[in-house]
Every structure is written in C-alpha cells, then in structure tokens.
Amino acid sequence: MSRLVRAAGSALLVVALLALIVPLGIHWSGATLFAAPEPSVSTPPWQLPPSTPAAQSGGLRSRAPQPSPSALSSLLGKTLVPDGAGSFAAHVVDAETGTVLYTNKAEEARTPASNMKLLTAAAALQALGPDSRFTTETLRTGPASVSIRGGGDVLLTAGESQPDKVMGHAGLATLAGRTVDALRAAGVKGKVTVAGDAGLFSGPALNPAVDPGDVEAGETAPVAPLALHSARLDPDVLTGPRPQDQTATVVKAFVAALNKEGASGKAGASGGALTFVAGGSAGTGTVLAGVESATVAEQVSWMLQHSDNFLTDVLGRMVAVKSGRPGSYTGGIAAVRSELDQLGLDTRGMVIADLSGLSAANRVSPAQFTALIRLMTTGSNAALRAALDGFPVAGLSGTLNARYGDASSKGGAGLVRAKTGTLNTVLSLSGYVVDADGRLLVFSFIGNGLTPGAAGNKAALDDSATVLAGCGCR
C-alpha cells in the first residue's frame, strides 16, 4: 500500500467477523452476502448475516427499486467535496442494469494509486486461474550441489508449511526435509552447495516508474520469483526497510533449514550427516522436492486486503510468463492490458506505468473501474468472482479496518467493500455495496491534486460510500 496508514486490529475479532461477512457467492433473493456486523431492528433483511452460506445465482432481486439519480446527486454533492485543493471524479452504476446513477468527470483518466491492483487482480484470475498454485522446488544440479528454483511464490516462510495459511502455505523447513530425504536416498554424503534460481523473471528487478524514495521507504522491493514474507524482514511488520536481494535471503534461510535437517543423522540410504553451504550457481538438473503456494485466488485476496505492492508486481509478471511473454515489468504490464482487453474492458486512454499503483503516471478513469467491478460482481466470468473476497470491508478488514468509525460513516461499516488507494495528493476508493433497498451498486471515487494529509478527504470518500449503503434514494 502506498503510504497508507495501516492500523493493527484484533486478528481474532476480524476473523470472527469475516466469517459472517466475506462473500462465498452472490445471492439476490431476499438475503445477500453483504452483512452488517451488529444487526438491529431497523436493518433491512438483505443486510443481515445469512444463516447459511449464500448460493450463487444470477440476476438481482427484480423488485428492489433503483436509486434516483437526482436524489443521489444531491446527497453526493454534499459529501464528495475536497478538503482544500483538488477535485474528485466519481461514477456510481447499478450493477444489474448498468444504469449510470451518478457521474462527475467519470470518463477522465486519473491517477488511481492502489486501485490499480484491481486491474492486476482481474488479469491474474483470468490468466492464471483462481485455483492455480506456484511451486518452489529443489533440483540436484551436480553430485554435491542443489538449487532452489523460484516458481512465483513470494509468500514463503522459514518454518513448516501451513496448509491453512496464505502467507506460509509453503514453508522452507518442509522443503528442506523433503530435499534432505531425497539426497540421502540418492546416496549423497558430506558437504552440498546450495544456489538460488530466480531465472523465471527477467529484466530489471524494479520498475523505473516507481520513485526510488518509495523503495527506500519499504513500499516495495526488487522483485524475484521467490521471497520470504512478500519481501518483508518480518511477516508481522508491514513498514520499514525490506530485503533488497530476495533470492539470497531465501537461500540463507533455506541453508539454515537444510542444515537443521541434515545434522539429524537419521538413517537413510547413505546414513550420516549432511552439511550445506550457500554457493555454486543455478542450473538444470533432476527435481528433488517441491512445495506449493496458496491458490492464486487466495493470493489475490491477500494482495487486495493488504494492498501488497510487491505481491502485485510478482502476480503481474506471472501473468506475463503464463502468456509466453518475458517475466519482466514490461512483460507484466503488456500481459495485464491484454487480459483486460480480452475481458472486454474498454482500455482506451488507460495508462499502466506500474501494476501496483505506486507510480503517479498511471491513468484510469472511474468509469473503467466501475466497468471492471461490474464484471466481478455480476458478469459471467466465474474466475473474476474470486476477487470479491479480497475487497476490504469497511471498519472490519484490510486497509479499511480503521475507517468508518465516525458518526458520518459508521452506517457503512460492514457494508461497504472497496479497494483503497493513497499517494501524496491522491485518494481513491472503488468497490461495491448493497443499498438499503437491496440494490447492488458499484462505484469509483478518485481524488487528484488533493491537499496532502487533509483529513477531510478520506472522510469524503467514506461518507460518500456510506451514502450509497444507506440509500433508499427516491
């Protein structure tokens, strides 16, 4: 996330609440997946938590009235107002019919900050498939040498694999155990050198469109097809410096895990202890062992929830590799645009300078975002539906965890689901909500040229989305 303030909430509380509200499907007949955290007598039934998971079905509840554009315009005219300099562009659309309910500079291509991640999310789900996984594997490249080959999983951890986790679904300790077993079975003894193989990606590890200051601040890091903790020194610390050589960082942790396994001296085909040192070079060889990542759908959800710039760039490069392009930042940009074109999104006027949204040179209009979110919520492409789980929930999860607590926006808590975006003079919020009448609305608000740090700008976004959630606007 670009200079976005992250507030740490209670993990257990969030998990418990998300169990009620995170969508498993789309359901429009009487009760929807959009649930308020604390139901009250005045809460419409379709905004209450469903007693059972909603089934997927097509079409909106046909009797739900559509908001009046004039009434909605009057309300948003009072809330979507910049605090100081700059302006907001906005687009609000009825998801079922595509009817435009509110528009203000909606066709104007603007710097969207981290809303760019929605484009990468759609491309990754479309090209790679929601259920796909990336494999990190070891190869025996010589009589006493192995390499660890990156397959795109940058959510590795040093410990054992944790099948119920996204970060750490694949663990280096598990891979080390399997690798040592395979080496012993092959009769290998003594010292073994370990190299890292990041050859899946090519070209510069950093996109030159990203400000070096953002790299120094830890907003992102040089990209590789394998990394620990999405290139963080600590998985629980989401700010500050990052490792600058992901492959070396992984090799160091992997050698430590291998030596712990190798020193055990447990009986094998050859018996005895094995020792491992970093060194040598990657090459071709026989696969010894592997560990698999969380699914692409789970990684996309992680990316959107945490606004993870590094993971976004990696997923973009994986889309490039899948399409037969070089696994470079230019290949990723070209591949993402191609996938958007194949989805039927109008990309005219769109500028993709980087995939995560760190670059101020990106340009996307609010109308393009609402068109994409309509595809995710009501389109026929089932792969895109997986993105919905990743939209942060107002007041409860991800980058919206600490928002929607004010009197003017608390009505949107638990109901608004949207991707945030923040740069120095940019704020954005694009997502979806079921209004008080049971109508699904998609929206995109993008502020450019804003006064840096002005508190009223974020409030303007949240209050406007809350207007949509409470709308019985007729």
Side-chain angles (χ1 to χ4, degrees):
M1 173 176 57
S2 308
R3 301 192 177 104
L4 192 64
V5 178
R6 297 176 174 87
S10 165
L12 291 177
L13 175 61
V14 170
V15 169
L17 290 169
L18 288 178
L20 292 176
I21 60 176
V22 172
L24 297 176
I26 304 294
H27 182 52
W28 306 113
S29 55
T32 77
L33 64 162
F34 304 88
E38 296 181 0
S40 65
V41 174
S42 61
T43 304
W46 42 86
Q47 290 186 338
L48 296 176
S51 58
T52 59
Q56 179 114 354
S57 62
L60 287 167
R61 196 169 61 89
S62 59
R63 289 170 293 178
Q66 193 177 82
S68 160
S70 60
L72 192 56
S73 178
S74 177
L75 292 170
L76 291 178
K78 299 173 184 176
T79 58
L80 200 58
V81 179
D83 181 4
S87 64
F88 286 107
H91 204 224
V92 181
V93 176
D94 180 277
E96 180 185 20
T97 65
T99 301
V100 175
L101 303 175
Y102 179 79
T103 181
N104 179 26
K105 303 179 183 178
E107 304 293 336
E108 182 179 295
R110 293 192 149 211
T111 303
S114 282
N115 277 201
M116 288 295 293
K117 293 180 175 68
L118 294 172
L119 307 182
T120 307
L125 291 168
Q126 166 73 6
L128 302 172
D131 298 326
S132 297
R133 300 178 187 269
F134 307 144
T135 302
T136 305
E137 56 190 8
T138 51
L139 290 79
R140 187 179 179 189
T141 55
S145 61
V146 300
S147 63
I148 178 170
R149 182 163 65 188
D153 186 3
V154 296
L155 301 179
L156 296 164
T157 54
E160 298 289 339
S161 296
Q162 302 176 78
D164 59 338
K165 302 291 186 182
V166 179
M167 175 82 76
H169 188 92
L172 294 182
T174 298
L175 182 59
R178 294 172 182 174
T179 301
V180 167
D181 287 347
L183 289 172
R184 283 190 169 128
V188 178
K189 302 178 181 179
K191 182 184 292 187
V192 178
T193 60
V194 183
D197 183 350
L200 187 65
F201 291 171
S202 60
L206 285 169
N207 184 334
V210 174
D211 190 323
D214 284 331
V215 180
E216 293 173 7
E219 296 290 351
T220 191
V223 172
L226 72 172
L228 286 176
H229 320 133
S230 196
R232 290 287 185 192
L233 295 170
D234 186 318
D236 297 320
V237 180
L238 302 181
T239 58
R242 292 173 177 257
Q244 297 299 293
D245 188 333
Q246 312 314 324
T247 306
T249 300
V250 169
V251 168
K252 180 179 179 180
F254 189 49
V255 166
L258 285 167
N259 279 317
K260 185 176 181 180
E261 287 289 333
S264 66
K266 62 185 178 181
S270 62
L274 286 166
T275 59
F276 297 86
V277 294
S281 58
T284 59
T286 303
V287 174
L288 294 170
V291 285
E292 290 193 326
S293 71
T295 66
V296 166
E298 290 168 331
Q299 292 188 60
V300 165
S301 290
W302 180 280
M303 174 188 75
L304 295 178
Q305 284 282 326
H306 298 279
S307 204
D308 191 321
N309 297 314
F310 182 87
L311 178 58
T312 305
D313 291 335
V314 169
L315 288 175
R317 292 192 187 211
M318 292 302 290
V319 173
V321 171
K322 180 69 173 182
S323 70
R325 294 177 172 85
S328 61
Y329 77 86
T330 55
I333 289 171
V336 167
R337 180 180 285 276
S338 176
E339 293 298 329
L340 297 175
D341 288 336
Q342 291 180 49
L343 288 170
L345 193 70
D346 185 355
T347 61
R348 289 175 296 180
M350 183 183 291
V351 176
I352 304 178
D354 87 297
L355 297 176
S356 66
L358 282 172
S359 174
N362 290 309
R363 294 288 185 275
V364 186
S365 73
Q368 288 169 325
F369 280 121
T370 57
L372 178 60
I373 298 169
R374 275 196 75 208
L375 289 175
M376 292 174 172
T377 55
T378 60
S380 60
N381 190 320
L384 297 188
R385 199 83 71 233
L388 300 181
D389 285 352
F391 279 67
V393 182
L396 294 176
S397 69
T399 56
L400 288 180
N401 179 49
R403 290 165 62 168
Y404 290 81
D406 296 336
S408 57
S409 63
K410 66 181 181 181
L415 301 176
V416 174
R417 300 160 190 266
K419 181 69 195 78
T420 58
T422 306
L423 290 173
N424 192 38
T425 62
V426 176
L427 283 174
S428 56
L429 191 70
S430 299
Y432 60 102
V433 65
V434 170
D435 73 9
D437 285 327
R439 199 84 186 176
L440 178 65
L441 310 179
V442 298
F443 64 91
S444 178
F445 306 141
I446 304 176
N448 277 189
L450 303 174
T451 301
N457 288 323
K458 196 170 288 186
L461 295 177
D462 294 347
D463 293 352
S464 298
T466 297
V467 163
L468 301 182
C471 202
C473 308
R474 294 186 295 282

